[in-house]
Amino acid sequence: MKIKITINEKDKIFEVEPSEYLLDVLRRNNYTSVRRGCDNTSCGVCTVLLDDKPVPSCSLLALKANGHRITTVEGIQEEAHKIGLYFGNEGADQCGYCNPSMALTVYSLKLENPKANEQEIKEYLVGNLCRCTGYVAQHEAIKKYLGDQS
Amino acid sequence: MKVVNHRTPSVDGLGIMKGRKAYTDDFAEKDSLIIKVLRSPHAFAKIKTIDDESAKALDGIEMILTYKDFKRNAFTRAGQGYPEPSPHDKFVLDEYVRYVGDEVLAVVGTSDDICQKAMDLIKVEYEVLEPVLDFEKALDHKVLVHPEDDIHEMFDIGFDPKRNKAASYHMEIGDVKKVLDSCKYTISETFYTQAQAHVMLEPHTVNARIDYQERLVLYSSTQTPFHIRRIISQALEIPLSKIRVIKPRVGGGFGGKQAIHGEMLVAYVTYITGKASKMVYTRKEVFESSYTRHPMKLEISLGADEKGMLKAIDAHVLSDTGAYGEHALTVYMVAGSKVLPLYNKVDAVRFYGDVVYTNHTPAGAYRGYGAIQGNFALESAVDILCKKMKMDPIKFRELNMMKEKETSPIFAIMGEGTEGTAMNMETCKLEECVSRGKELIHWDDIYPHIDDGDKIRSVGMAIAMQGSGIPLIDMGSASIKLNDDGFYNLMVGATEIGQGSDTVLSQIAAEVLKTSVDKVIIYSSDTDLTPFDVGAYASSTTFVSGNAVYRAADELKSMMLKEVARIFECDKDDIDFDGERFYYKDKKISLIDFSNEITYSEAQKQLQATSSYVGPKSPPPFMAGFVEVEFDKETAEMKVLNYVSVVDCGTTINPMLAKGQVDGAIVQGLGMAMFEDVKYSKNGKLISGDMLNYKIPTRLDIKKLTTEFVDSYEESGPFGAKSVGEIGIDTPPAAIANAVENAFGIRIKSLPITAEKILNKKWEIENEKK
Amino acid sequence: MNVNEYVVVENIDQAYQLFNQNKKNQIIAGGAWLKLSVKEVNKLISLDDLSLNYIKTNDKSVEIGALTSLREVEMNDVVNEIDHGILSTAISQIMGVSIRNLATIGGSIMGRFSFSDIIPVLLVLDCQLYFHNRGEMTINEFITSKGLDRDILTYIKINKSTGQSYFKKISHTALDFSMLNVAITFDGSFRIAIGSQPGMAMLCEQTMAFLNQQNDISEDVIEQAVSIALTELKLSSNIRASKAYREVLAKTYIKRGLRQVIK
Ligand SMILES: Cc1cc2nc3c(=O)[nH]c(=O)nc-3n(C[C@H](O)[C@H](O)[C@H](O)COP(=O)(O)OP(=O)(O)OC[C@H]3O[C@@H](n4cnc5c(N)ncnc54)[C@H](O)[C@@H]3O)c2cc1C
């Protein structure tokens, strides 16, 4: 079946199988920043924005995305660059496998709640697991990033 | 120092945040063959027949590989130096399957889908065998996990498969029994530690292609590219010179990617077919078919005199290596060698026991590597002894623990799989770690606990040590070259896996060359292009590879000075170099001009230096961990309010990244201490085989981490550094157990320590009183 | 999940017919749980074009379309006012924001998850469910009936009550399933539901009846209520907690919940 998705503001048409998930379709089509982690929505690594809201692409059937807008980190390069600087300055990046999904989620937090406090940051990002950092440096980075944007 | 000991952002963080291609699967060839493994549904079975005719006939199926396709070359997946201290007890594919999830056969096809269809069509008939699932009953069990005769050890590690023994070990200093008998206070306790899963977020991933020189090129998410190349060559009999292993960015390892996983099958398929192929483990495979931390049973006896001096430690340890013996002996020995020297003033110490095979998912390397198991037991036992002696546990430690300039005879006796090397603690700031930690956690205000009505708050602590590489075994090397325009390439075999080694090693080179990190372009871990390094394990990279980088950079500097001396017509020692310019009296030349000249115009040559390092010793980092826990009095639910870590890792090359290592390890350690648990059904099937049922700490579970480093300078390390990758994980289990004791007077001796376990124990005690 | 065909239906009748044509035809809402629970699907029936994604309110009640995402329900101002926002509180503790953007309220009911943090809350809110064929039934009727015909949930309705409420989820980590959860509301009368027993959530009807007869809710009465609850609950063991520990949790948190709602 064919689906039409607007990815990072470009209209794309993909041929997909009814059983395929968005994650597989994106990776197959060279959007390699979207990565596979746990395969059951438990880790957050495969997050993309669907109509500006974070969703786990590993569990969103590609056909359900038909007609919608998808944003991957390639679509928010400037913002990701900024977030990356804050992460770098706090030593909040380690293996980095989850970082593009983290950038997308932080960006969407900024859209929804630009003044989020630490507890709200934690609640918003709790679905984005990290096995490397122990989280503390990430929260510092995100707090500073949000603080400097408003 | 201008670069070292500064908070330098990672050299690669921005590109990674922006989603650049970086990880193994990002580089897979577009039309790679997909390899899927059919895995055993039985804990132990012999394959009787395989009917794969209709699967083979499917359109899109390239081949189906069974044990019959491989020559029987026993090897170990462990990913260690050579000869390995792990038994060669594994075949690429075998007639026997030894745990639920073990490899039965491999299906190779054009898509995931078609491979899945093929697997559904294949009929395997098994002779189901009785499995060995209780590691306490494995030794001399009537069932042998490895009945085959064509497996072997590389040197004496106590391997005895006819008794289900993968390895065994015994050492004794002094006469433990005699000393214990003479002690005023003694305790004997048994502790259990569970299997823990690594849960790195990137699954095990590998892909291969044949390049235009007809060589096999693997991209692999591995911690040990050079070992992988060697093991593939040996097991598949492909000449080493025909194999190139490239390690791109790795999405977390924690020891889980030290061993070889899909590499063998991917290498074989591409080598045989000439076609690109790939494997990405499903999360289920990561849990079920890679490996876990070794579960252990540790029986500890301690004896102290009337003054509170520890006199003897006796440790009888049993370890479960699961179906294969990867790291069986070495993890086992580290449970002693990187724990027992903490109390170096004893008259006698013994450490002995076996590592047994069972029909569970194999165990292997995992951050902490035995030390966390040993630490939980010993540091719990110390608090138990203190309670018996009515002695303050911190006073006890201050009296008995390792101090600077001291040593322990254990260092000479116990290495990793072999004898050790004697060493003095040139740096050991444990005293500062303990006193600073005590302050930061407000120990004196809280110890043992504060009753807040519905809640009770308590503190607990433990001390720990680790190593910095394996002395006389781990080798790291580095090449550095000067380019025109005055910047450098640094090539290292050291393996960046997210711990920040590319950044830290660049900092070391930049410091030596008095330049900034952006002028040092690092490239790591490519068996064709970078010099040898054992890989990322044993807390070796900063110390071992860092020393190699230091030497290489220093050598390059002296090559540059020699050339400048030729230009200036002076002695090289009289030249000043500030990183940007060379000066001699009124002469000066910029690095840029010099590098352009030597590249293009005058006495042209490439300046490049290569250096290696093998540690003659392994200076241990030390730390004290303190935890403040709030318990619900009725339900015993726990909240970790604060975890204080005060660490002596020598100079922190990058204080920010060092803190990241400690913070991350503390949280992994807390997971192990409080809820992470690899669980099996009674038939040996993994129950916790996905991230719904195996839980790691989330950001909402972490309240506060307080991490500090004490001033310390280790002469033998690069710019004074020791290691910091593993040490953080060791203390949480014992610190939590001690905090539970300090809150309720209840001692939990098995991990994980859940609220439910605390209440059960409480009820048990109440029932005994009745 | 292996899907033969994906059908976006044009009207609900069509969905209903397809659904009942073949046992292997399935409805997809968010699809998050479907992925984990179903291997083979013949026709996957998408309701995406039926405009079932809405929250409507009037003076008395809130109506939520079955395809409304959990996140939209959680963030809705009106839902946030019902009994002190107990539904929002419960939803906010389920996994992360991204899965709550995908998962729907309809799927959360029709999945009949025994670990559900939502069903206990809907029980105390006495939520009404509206099915295409069967019509109206309460959530309690729905979860206590066995062998219901295959039907399509179109929307749910919750009365706008402004009582006190209490919700507690006890879990090993913030992303784990509940070991137990407790939902209580009080607006003159008490409603109590316990979920993740680990079996299906239930209303504690005897406990409620007992409490609703009392004039004064003393500590004594609370203690009695707790012991009644323990006799009517069907607590048992699974890998997350034992029966004995669940009893401690139920006892503790029903007590604390009652104390809080009468404050
Ligand atoms: C990893 C994970 C963890 C979770 N953890 C929790 C938790 O801790 N607590 C909690 O309460 N919940 C939890 N959930 C459940 C989640 O909140 C949703 O309830 C679940 O995903 C179902 O919603 P969905 O929209 O994805 O439904 P789907 O997966 O699309 O559907 C679920 C079932 O309902 C049927 N269905 C859906 N809509 C209708 C309809 N309108 N009419 C008839 N049948 C219908 C489907 O056919 C299917 O059988 C978890 C889910 C996942 C995947």
Side-chain angles (χ1 to χ4, degrees):
Chain A
M1 284 170 105
K2 279 199 171 27
I3 55 169
K4 199 181 132 203
I5 312 182
T6 309
I7 302 189
N8 303 329
E9 295 178 0
K10 286 206 185 80
D11 291 341
K12 297 266 174 173
I13 292 178
F14 297 122
E15 182 67 40
V16 305
E17 296 288 323
S19 317
E20 265 190 306
Y21 286 92
L22 184 64
L23 168 64
D24 301 292
V25 173
L26 290 174
R27 282 198 72 80
R28 192 152 59 65
N29 287 285
N30 214 20
Y31 294 92
T32 49
S33 68
V34 189
R35 301 203 170 94
R36 182 183 306 282
C38 69
D39 256 335
N40 64 12
T41 73
S42 298
C43 76
V45 161
C46 66
T47 304
V48 297
L49 304 185
L50 173 79
D51 301 331
D52 296 327
K53 298 199 175 84
V55 292
S57 66
C58 75
S59 297
L60 175 63
L61 270 190
L63 283 161
K64 270 188 74 82
N66 192 15
H68 291 270
R69 281 186 302 116
I70 296 289
T71 312
T72 68
V73 80
E74 286 87 350
I76 58 157
Q77 285 289 290
E78 235 174 82
E79 209 63 33
H81 189 96
K82 269 195 225 165
I83 295 169
L85 290 174
Y86 284 87
F87 269 58
N89 285 333
E90 297 300 324
D93 46 348
Q94 286 191 30
C95 87
Y97 195 68
C98 65
N99 281 12
S101 62
M102 198 79 75
L104 286 162
T105 314
V106 170
Y107 169 69
S108 117
L109 168 63
K110 191 186 83 169
L111 298 182
E112 273 188 45
N113 183 8
K115 297 207 157 60
N117 61 28
E118 178 154 345
Q119 184 62 21
E120 288 167 332
I121 292 171
K122 286 183 177 180
E123 282 168 10
Y124 198 86
L125 280 132
V126 68
N128 296 73
L129 287 174
C130 169
R131 188 61 153 169
C132 295
T133 61
Y135 303 112
V136 175
Q138 289 184 352
H139 298 147
E140 280 309 306
I142 297 166
K143 263 193 297 193
K144 288 186 181 157
Y145 161 75
L146 290 179
D148 290 352
Q149 305 308 301
S150 44
Chain B
M1 285 183 286
K2 273 161 66 186
V3 185
V4 158
N5 200 224
H6 287 262
R7 295 167 55 98
T8 307
S10 61
V11 295
D12 38 29
L14 269 184
I16 283 170
M17 183 67 86
K18 291 163 83 174
R20 309 279 184 221
K21 283 186 193 296
Y23 301 86
T24 300
D25 195 48
D26 303 351
F27 299 105
E29 301 281 321
K30 204 159 188 291
D31 294 314
S32 293
L33 289 170
I34 303 295
I35 304 175
K36 285 262 157 207
V37 173
L38 182 75
R39 296 189 178 277
S40 170
H42 305 294
F44 197 20
K46 191 172 175 188
I47 299 169
K48 276 164 69 179
T49 58
I50 295 174
D51 176 3
D52 57 4
E53 286 312 313
S54 44
K56 268 186 180 147
L58 277 183
D59 214 20
I61 289 299
E62 177 87 19
M63 63 202 312
I64 290 172
L65 297 169
T66 71
Y67 65 92
K68 291 181 186 142
D69 295 294
F70 294 92
K71 202 168 145 186
R72 275 181 79 80
N73 269 344
F75 67 100
T76 172
R77 302 183 299 182
Q80 296 166 301
Y82 190 81
E84 297 100 335
S86 297
H88 283 206
D89 59 3
K90 176 85 178 75
F91 300 92
V92 181
L93 293 172
D94 194 2
E95 207 180 346
Y96 283 92
V97 281
R98 297 186 176 77
Y99 65 96
V100 177
D102 204 354
E103 296 129 327
V104 176
L105 54 81
V107 175
V108 185
T110 49
S111 71
D112 262 341
D113 234 29
I114 198 75
C115 290
Q116 192 53 54
K117 287 210 175 83
M119 293 211 285
D120 293 343
L121 288 174
I122 295 172
K123 290 193 187 65
V124 182
E125 211 188 318
Y126 298 94
E127 179 189 342
V128 178
L129 305 168
E130 180 194 335
V132 182
L133 296 173
D134 180 348
F135 80 113
E136 295 190 60
K137 295 191 180 131
L139 193 66
D140 295 323
H141 196 285
K142 66 176 194 297
V143 175
L144 294 184
V145 177
H146 284 277
E148 68 278 19
D149 287 321
D150 46 357
I151 54 176
H152 59 273
E153 59 193 332
M154 302 298 285
F155 51 88
D156 182 14
I157 58 169
F159 176 65
D160 190 355
K162 301 291 181 242
R163 299 186 60 200
N164 277 336
K165 249 203 251 187
S168 61
Y169 184 74
H170 184 108
M171 79 93 191
E172 182 166 5
I173 298 167
D175 186 335
V176 166
K177 206 176 161 304
K178 212 163 115 194
V179 179
L180 277 175
D181 284 345
S182 73
C183 284
K184 170 144 190 238
Y185 301 101
T186 56
I187 59 133
S188 287
E189 300 285 351
T190 304
F191 301 89
Y192 288 88
T193 64
Q194 82 280 37
Q196 183 183 22
H198 305 76
V199 202
M200 67 300 268
L201 287 182
E202 180 201 26
H204 303 285
T205 305
V206 54
N207 51 65
R209 74 282 295 134
I210 302 286
D211 73 2
Y212 66 91
Q213 291 184 4
E214 292 287 90
R215 293 171 74 240
L216 176 67
V217 181
L218 260 70
Y219 278 82
S220 167
S221 174
T222 179
Q223 296 176 227
T224 56
F226 287 91
H227 293 336
I228 296 279
R229 180 178 65 170
R230 185 195 77 236
I231 298 166
I232 288 174
S233 163
Q234 285 170 350
L236 298 180
E237 300 182 348
I238 302 173
L240 204 63
S241 61
K242 285 271 183 204
I243 307 171
R244 174 179 181 189
V245 179
I246 298 170
K247 173 224 65 92
R249 185 66 172 196
V250 172
F254 316 118
K257 292 173 180 167
Q258 180 172 351
I260 195 162
H261 297 282
E263 286 84 353
M264 205 59 88
L265 287 168
V266 167
Y268 182 79
V269 166
T270 292
Y271 194 68
I272 293 294
T273 64
K275 297 180 188 173
S277 71
K278 74 170 199 173
M279 240 177 131
V280 180
Y281 270 28
T282 61
R283 187 50 65 175
K284 181 166 182 244
E285 288 179 303
V286 175
F287 277 109
E288 197 174 72
S289 309
S290 66
Y291 51 84
T292 68
R293 189 186 291 295
H294 289 81
M296 291 187 189
K297 174 189 185 189
L298 307 102
E299 295 166 278
I300 305 281
S301 299
L302 300 180
D305 67 13
E306 64 292 342
K307 295 196 211 90
M309 284 306 295
L310 190 64
K311 289 287 161 194
I313 308 175
D314 194 18
H316 179 208
V317 179
L318 180 70
S319 171
D320 176 2
T321 193
Y324 299 98
E326 289 119 9
H327 301 261
L329 177 66
T330 40
V331 165
Y332 185 86
M333 287 179 74
V334 169
S337 66
K338 288 176 186 163
V339 180
L340 300 171
L342 282 168
Y343 298 101
N344 61 333
K345 295 164 191 66
V346 295
D347 294 338
V349 49
R350 181 166 66 166
F351 181 88
Y352 67 106
D354 303 306
V355 189
V356 293
Y357 285 117
T358 61
N359 294 104
H360 278 152
T361 293
Y366 190 158
R367 189 185 220 169
Y369 203 81
I372 182 171
Q373 292 97 319
N375 194 283
F376 168 63
L378 183 63
E379 285 295 272
S380 294
V382 162
D383 266 37
I384 297 172
L385 178 68
C386 289
K387 190 176 177 186
K388 189 163 185 183
M389 298 188 301
K390 300 200 171 60
M391 183 164 176
D392 181 274
I394 290 188
K395 263 208 195 93
F396 178 88
R397 286 182 175 85
E398 284 167 344
L399 202 60
N400 287 286
M401 71 195 181
M402 175 77 83
K403 310 263 158 60
E404 198 152 85
K405 307 295 176 210
E406 293 179 357
T407 188
S408 156
I410 290 171
F411 293 127
I413 294 172
M414 296 179 83
E416 277 191 36
T418 54
E419 277 179 14
T421 33
M423 59 179 167
N424 284 331
M425 299 300 95
E426 299 305 336
T427 47
C428 171
K429 309 288 180 198
L430 255 181
E431 287 171 283
E432 285 93 322
C433 293
V434 169
S435 65
R436 179 65 183 148
K438 201 176 149 188
E439 236 170 75
L440 287 168
I441 202 85
H442 305 291
W443 182 271
D444 291 334
D445 301 336
I446 306 173
Y447 179 79
H449 65 250
I450 293 176
D451 195 327
D452 290 334
D454 284 349
K455 307 271 157 112
I456 185 163
R457 258 185 311 136
S458 73
V459 283
M461 65 90 64
I463 55 175
M465 59 178 285
Q466 200 80 34
S468 301
I470 310 171
L472 305 179
I473 291 180
D474 285 350
M475 188 268 271
S477 51
S479 280
I480 185 158
K481 74 174 196 262
L482 174 70
N483 296 298
D484 47 335
D485 209 34
F487 73 100
Y488 308 91
N489 285 113
L490 173 61
M491 279 80 65
V492 292
T495 310
E496 164 75 71
I497 56 168
Q499 83 282 45
S501 68
D502 279 355
T503 302
V504 164
L505 297 176
S506 303
Q507 282 180 270
I508 291 171
E511 186 70 48
V512 175
L513 293 162
K514 302 189 174 177
T515 185
S516 50
V517 165
D518 59 321
K519 294 275 190 298
V520 179
I521 312 303
I522 188 160
Y523 182 70
S524 58
S525 311
D526 177 330
T527 56
D528 270 6
L529 301 184
T530 64
F532 184 87
D533 192 292
V534 287
Y537 59 84
S539 287
S540 58
T541 302
T542 301
F543 184 78
V544 175
S545 315
N547 264 321
V549 169
Y550 184 101
R551 288 181 178 187
D554 204 46
E555 209 175 301
L556 179 68
K557 194 166 77 183
S558 81
M559 285 177 171
M560 297 191 314
L561 289 173
K562 203 171 132 206
E563 294 302 325
V564 175
R566 173 181 54 74
I567 297 167
F568 286 171
E569 297 175 334
C570 70
D571 195 89
K572 102 183 204 303
D573 297 335
D574 295 333
I575 299 170
D576 282 328
F577 175 52
D578 65 5
E580 283 178 26
R581 281 184 189 73
F582 300 91
Y583 305 88
Y584 171 67
K585 293 194 178 154
D586 55 349
K587 294 181 183 169
K588 66 176 176 197
I589 184 170
S590 71
L591 174 65
I592 294 177
D593 289 345
F594 164 70
S595 64
N596 288 337
E597 183 180 314
I598 199 150
T599 309
Y600 295 114
S601 46
E602 185 81 34
Q604 295 96 313
K605 64 172 71 150
Q606 175 65 59
L607 296 184
Q608 170 159 355
T610 298
S611 227
S612 323
Y613 182 84
V614 184
K617 58 180 188 174
S618 171
F622 292 93
M623 78 166 274
F626 291 79
V627 68
E628 180 185 353
V629 193
E630 180 185 88
F631 297 88
D632 188 300
K633 269 193 200 161
E634 274 173 285
T635 64
E637 286 166 273
M638 289 174 263
K639 246 192 229 150
V640 172
L641 299 180
N642 189 10
Y643 203 99
V644 169
S645 311
V646 186
V647 182
D648 163 16
C649 62
T651 303
T652 50
I653 301 289
N654 186 324
M656 200 161 66
L657 299 191
K659 180 173 179 300
Q661 285 301 301
V662 176
D663 285 358
I666 290 294
V667 170
Q668 263 176 32
L670 285 171
M672 170 148 168
M674 298 168 68
F675 47 80
E676 289 185 36
D677 201 357
V678 172
K679 285 187 176 143
Y680 295 93
S681 73
K682 59 180 190 312
N683 319 324
K685 197 174 153 33
L686 202 61
I687 302 171
S688 54
D690 58 41
M691 286 177 72
L692 282 176
N693 291 301
Y694 188 93
K695 287 294 164 186
I696 64 170
T698 76
R699 60 187 76 240
L700 277 170
D701 302 308
I702 301 305
K703 309 287 174 225
K704 187 175 174 195
L705 305 177
T706 309
T707 301
E708 281 193 7
F709 298 92
V710 294
D711 268 342
S712 170
Y713 191 94
E714 169 63 39
E715 278 301 333
S716 63
F719 296 106
K722 300 191 276 188
S723 84
V724 72
E726 295 183 274
I727 177 88
I729 205 166
D730 295 336
T731 57
I736 294 279
N738 292 341
V740 170
E741 168 83 51
N742 293 339
F744 298 113
I746 286 171
R747 175 56 60 176
I748 305 296
K749 289 178 274 190
S750 69
L751 297 177
I753 301 171
T754 59
E756 175 166 355
K757 247 186 215 170
I758 298 172
L759 283 191
N760 278 336
K761 186 82 198 174
K762 202 166 149 193
W763 294 331
E764 204 181 285
I765 295 169
E766 282 164 7
N767 277 340
E768 274 166 21
K769 277 189 195 146
K770 271 180 205 157
Chain C
M1 186 170 66
N2 201 13
V3 181
N4 267 335
E5 197 187 327
Y6 183 83
V7 190
V8 184
V9 292
E10 281 159 17
N11 58 58
I12 198 130
D13 268 331
Q14 190 195 352
Y16 182 78
Q17 271 166 21
L18 278 178
F19 192 30
N20 278 291
Q21 228 169 44
N22 181 335
K23 277 254 162 349
K24 289 209 154 166
N25 292 356
Q26 295 280 359
I27 306 280
I28 178 167
W33 193 262
L34 211 59
K35 175 179 180 181
L36 305 181
S37 52
V38 181
K39 252 196 119 175
E40 281 297 327
V41 180
N42 181 36
K43 289 192 170 127
L44 192 59
I45 307 159
S46 162
L47 313 177
D48 283 352
D49 280 4
L50 302 185
S51 308
L52 292 177
N53 179 354
Y54 63 86
I55 301 179
K56 277 196 257 185
T57 59
N58 60 30
D59 294 353
K60 287 211 196 98
S61 61
V62 181
E63 212 179 285
I64 307 175
L67 251 65
T68 311
S69 77
L70 292 181
R71 180 70 176 165
E72 278 167 275
V73 178
E74 172 194 352
M75 300 305 282
N76 183 274
D77 289 340
V78 181
V79 174
N80 250 305
E81 274 166 21
I82 299 174
D83 285 342
H84 275 79
I86 183 171
L87 184 55
S88 304
T89 305
I91 293 176
S92 74
Q93 293 175 44
I94 297 171
M95 300 296 283
V97 168
S98 67
I99 183 168
R100 303 205 294 276
N101 278 324
L102 184 64
T104 63
I105 190 79
S108 302
I109 294 165
M110 297 310 290
R112 290 171 168 267
F113 306 118
S114 60
F115 55 76
S116 177
D117 297 308
I118 294 176
I119 292 174
V121 174
L122 297 180
L123 281 171
V124 294
L125 294 177
D126 201 14
C127 170
Q128 294 285 322
L129 313 182
Y130 293 83
F131 289 91
H132 173 64
N133 185 47
R134 200 181 298 137
E136 182 179 346
M137 76 196 295
T138 66
I139 177 90
N140 195 33
E141 283 165 339
F142 175 67
I143 62 162
T144 51
S145 333
K146 290 209 175 89
L148 289 175
D149 300 335
R150 285 158 81 86
D151 203 345
I152 295 170
L153 179 68
T154 50
Y155 67 95
I156 69 169
K157 197 159 97 186
I158 302 170
N159 284 332
K160 279 183 166 178
S161 115
T162 51
Q164 298 298 322
S165 70
Y166 176 83
F167 177 80
K168 177 75 186 178
K169 166 176 184 165
I170 305 104
S171 59
H172 287 291
T173 78
L175 289 182
D176 201 2
F177 293 130
S178 294
M179 287 187 245
L180 191 88
N181 53 37
V182 178
I184 303 178
T185 52
F186 177 62
D187 57 358
S189 68
F190 292 91
R191 289 180 73 83
I192 304 174
I194 306 293
S196 219
Q197 307 193 63
M200 185 43 110
M202 63 181 272
L203 271 176
C204 298
E205 304 205 37
Q206 293 167 29
T207 318
M208 284 153 48
F210 166 76
L211 282 165
N212 291 334
Q213 284 162 4
Q214 309 297 320
N215 297 325
D216 177 31
I217 307 298
S218 62
E219 275 297 306
D220 235 26
V221 167
I222 290 178
E223 289 294 338
Q224 285 176 52
V226 166
S227 33
I228 297 169
L230 284 181
T231 55
E232 66 176 324
L233 284 171
K234 299 187 177 71
L235 302 175
S236 63
S237 302
N238 70 349
I239 63 164
R240 288 184 169 71
S242 69
K243 180 177 180 201
Y245 190 60
R246 282 196 165 89
E247 280 172 2
V248 173
L249 294 174
K251 228 192 301 199
T252 307
Y253 288 105
I254 293 174
K255 196 168 64 188
R256 288 182 192 171
L258 287 173
R259 283 188 198 136
Q260 181 174 316
V261 297
I262 58 168
K263 240 192 223 158

